[in-house]
Amino acid sequence: MELSVHNLKGEDTGKKVTLSDDVFSIEEPNDHAIYLDVKQFLANQRQGTHKSKERADIVGSTRKIKRQKGTGTARAGSIKSPIFRGGGRVFGPRPRSYSFKLNKKLKQLARKSALTYKVKEDAVKVVEDFTFETPRTKDYLSFLSALEANGKKSLYVTTELDKNIYLSGRNIKGAKVAVVDDLSTYDILNADSLIFSENSLSKINNQLAK
């Protein structure tokens, strides 16, 4: 499949790039692989620092609060018991890691499946490699408007991190700049408009077409 290459003003440069069918047009996109990869991505965002005080964490007297028998009520040995107000929580949350392992080939399949869906939705565009002399949000907004991506969730994928481009798009709601090496299935699916720099396409082809 071929796509036209646009310049910074959104004009067709006359150049064409070929998208690898092994990456952007696989025969059977795997929805379950996408689900697992997105699930892992979101799980890795969780800090897992939640903690509640259980019985052993409560500060309080350890004396027996009433005699064992003859009160007409249930026996009780500690004011820190979960049945009393101010007592510890039963089986409360503890700090833990939510991350889990996925095979490398499954993650590659998930990304290829997500890219295939985006191509089918006609949401992929290619631009010439460019940079800004200084960080300017106005320039990045003009770039998005030229590609009809302003006001949408956009993801601009570059070969290497360009500080001026990153700073220019940082304050725009829904706009994100990512490096090919950091591209995730979640970022691909979350974007309404997926914009690749010309050189980043060859790099992603080399990474996923193995």
Side-chain angles (χ1 to χ4, degrees):
M1 181 179 179
E2 290 187 340
L3 286 181
S4 300
V5 179
H6 297 82
N7 59 20
L8 192 58
K9 297 180 179 179
E11 300 167 343
D12 192 339
T13 61
K15 293 189 293 184
K16 300 280 186 180
V17 290
T18 302
L19 301 182
S20 171
D21 290 340
D22 294 332
V23 176
F24 291 90
S25 298
I26 62 176
E27 292 182 3
E28 296 182 3
N30 194 309
D31 292 343
H32 189 63
I34 291 176
Y35 161 75
L36 290 175
D37 199 14
V38 171
K39 182 180 179 181
Q40 185 198 49
F41 177 86
L42 294 176
N44 289 340
Q45 309 308 304
R46 301 184 68 173
Q47 289 184 327
T49 55
H50 41 40
K51 177 71 171 71
S52 67
K53 288 187 176 181
E54 297 186 353
R55 185 167 178 162
D57 302 316
I58 299 295
V59 177
S61 174
T62 58
R63 74 177 181 86
K64 187 171 176 63
I65 59 177
K66 63 181 180 180
R67 58 181 180 166
Q68 182 82 345
K69 296 178 180 291
T71 61
T73 57
R75 56 192 175 181
S78 172
I79 196 66
K80 295 186 285 185
S81 170
I83 65 173
F84 294 121
R85 183 176 181 180
R89 182 173 174 182
V90 181
F91 303 127
R94 295 179 178 182
R96 55 163 290 197
S97 171
Y98 284 90
S99 63
F100 58 93
K101 182 181 180 300
L102 287 179
N103 292 332
K104 183 178 179 180
K105 287 186 178 180
L106 186 142
K107 292 176 72 67
Q108 287 180 339
L109 175 60
R111 271 176 286 170
K112 289 191 286 188
S113 299
L115 289 170
T116 298
Y117 281 132
K118 286 300 175 183
V119 169
K120 289 181 179 179
E121 295 170 5
D122 198 23
V124 177
K125 295 182 180 179
V126 183
V127 295
E128 289 181 323
D129 290 84
F130 67 90
T131 186
F132 295 136
E133 294 182 2
T134 56
R136 286 192 68 193
T137 302
K138 184 178 180 181
D139 291 342
Y140 197 83
L141 278 172
S142 300
F143 161 66
L144 292 179
S145 297
L147 294 175
E148 300 178 350
N150 194 12
K152 301 179 181 178
K153 288 184 178 179
S154 64
L155 176 64
Y156 176 56
V157 184
T158 62
T159 309
E160 297 178 351
L161 181 63
D162 186 305
K163 187 176 180 181
N164 287 344
I165 294 177
Y166 170 75
L167 293 176
S168 298
R170 183 174 58 175
N171 292 331
I172 303 174
K173 184 178 180 180
K176 184 173 182 178
V177 179
V179 180
V180 170
D181 294 333
D182 299 330
L183 190 61
S184 69
T185 303
Y186 177 85
D187 289 332
I188 295 170
L189 293 175
N190 192 47
D192 297 321
S193 182
L194 194 56
I195 307 167
F196 286 96
S197 67
E198 195 172 355
N199 287 335
S200 68
L201 277 179
S202 58
K203 190 171 183 179
I204 198 170
N205 283 335
N206 293 333
Q207 286 182 349
L208 299 180
K210 297 178 181 178

